[in-house]
């Protein structure tokens, strides 16, 4: 198990299989003692809190607080059409690398993205995984900082991620505010009836973890 997949597991919605597998996670973390120490408070919570309380806390932390959203592009593009295209581009990256999405989550869901990075490492594509993490670390670090300010144990996951890349996170601006109803009114549904956020453009672009009008490093191409 790669460190990325460990982080993906502990950042996912808590279910009984996760709690049953904490022993395996401890065993896997023996290879990364620094990460094990950083994750210790979160793992203690997962071990000792009742499952229903863990689930309630998870929903309150991530689903009910947009500042902690686990959807990467929500922090960059809000609900604009650019977010939809960014997700399409990321999905194309997954497909090109033979990564099969086994969940119904959107491509920019952080645990899914980390699972993908772990798959790259397992395939011997460590450099590519580090490049992608370095491109996304600005958003990931911002989420972690907000979680830390709210004293959430989940902040530890994002702190570990910062140790896995040499890229220094840059401050992030607030995403544009736009709700789904406004997006539908502005753009309308796609020809196939799909909501505009998931509408697809014919061309494939590099993955962008930042607004188009910001001066940033060159996006990663396959």
């Amino acid at each position: 198990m790669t460190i990325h997949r460990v982080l993906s597991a502990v950042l996912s919605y808590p279910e009984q299989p996760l709690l049953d597998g904490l022993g395996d996670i401890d065993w896997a973390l023996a290879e990364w003692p620094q990460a094990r120490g950083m994750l210790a408070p979160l793992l203690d919570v997962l071990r000792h809190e009742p499952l229903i309380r863990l689930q309630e806390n998870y929903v309150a932390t991530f689903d009910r607080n947009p500042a902690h959203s686990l959807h990467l592009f929500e922090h960059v593009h809000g609900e604009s059409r650019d977010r939809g295209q960014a997700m399409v581009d990321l999905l194309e990256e997954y497909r090109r690398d033979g990564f099969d999405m086994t969940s119904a989550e959107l491509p920019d869901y952080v645990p899914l993205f980390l699972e993908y990075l772990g798959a790259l490492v397992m395939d011997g594509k460590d450099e590519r995984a580090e490049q992608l993490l370095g491109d996304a670390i600005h958003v990931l670090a911002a989420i972690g900082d907000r979680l830390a300010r709210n004293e959430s144990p989940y902040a530890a996951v994002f702190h570990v991620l910062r140790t896995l890349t040499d890229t220094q996170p840059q401050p992030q601006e607030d995403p544009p505010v736009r709700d789904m109803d406004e997006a539908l009114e502005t753009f309308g549904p796609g020809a196939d009836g799909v909501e505009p956020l998931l509408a697809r453009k014919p061309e494939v672009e590099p993955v962008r973890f930042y607004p188009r009008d910001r001066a940033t490093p060159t996006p990663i191409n396959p």
Side-chain angles (χ1 to χ4, degrees), residues 65-85:
N65 190 335
H68 302 160
S69 173
L70 290 179
H71 290 96
L72 286 166
F73 298 133
E74 186 173 330
H75 298 280
V76 180
H77 303 297
E79 299 289 354
S80 72
R81 174 167 284 180
D82 281 344
R83 182 187 173 201
Q85 183 60 43

Side-chain angles (χ1 to χ4, degrees), residues 46-174:
L46 293 174
R47 285 192 191 93
H48 298 117
E49 290 290 336
L51 178 58
I52 185 63
R53 189 172 300 171
L54 291 172
Q55 293 174 337
E56 290 172 347
N57 177 66
Y58 188 94
V59 170
T61 299
F62 296 114
D63 297 344
R64 296 179 181 168
N65 190 335
H68 302 160
S69 173
L70 290 179
H71 290 96
L72 286 166
F73 298 133
E74 186 173 330
H75 298 280
V76 180
H77 303 297
E79 299 289 354
S80 72
R81 174 167 284 180
D82 281 344
R83 182 187 173 201
Q85 183 60 43
M87 286 194 290
V88 168
D89 296 337
L90 184 56
L91 182 58
E92 289 296 330
E93 295 289 328
Y94 291 169
R95 289 171 174 165
R96 274 195 290 271
D97 286 310
F99 178 69
D100 293 326
M101 291 176 52
T102 57
S103 72
E105 294 291 347
L106 293 172
D108 64 341
Y109 182 55
V110 174
L112 180 63
F113 178 67
L114 297 180
E115 185 75 14
Y116 166 59
L117 297 185
L120 290 176
V121 172
M122 292 291 290
D123 287 343
K125 301 176 181 177
D126 301 57
E127 184 175 343
R128 177 163 169 73
E130 187 172 351
Q131 271 190 309
L132 285 166
L133 177 59
D135 207 24
I137 197 62
H138 312 288
V139 178
L140 293 167
I143 298 171
D145 289 344
R146 294 172 195 141
L147 289 167
R149 286 196 292 271
N150 285 281
E151 300 182 346
S152 170
Y154 282 104
V157 174
F158 298 88
H159 293 164
V160 173
L161 286 171
R162 293 177 73 152
T163 72
L164 302 180
T165 175
D166 293 330
T167 303
Q168 294 300 309
Q170 300 299 313
Q172 297 296 290
E173 299 175 359
D174 291 335

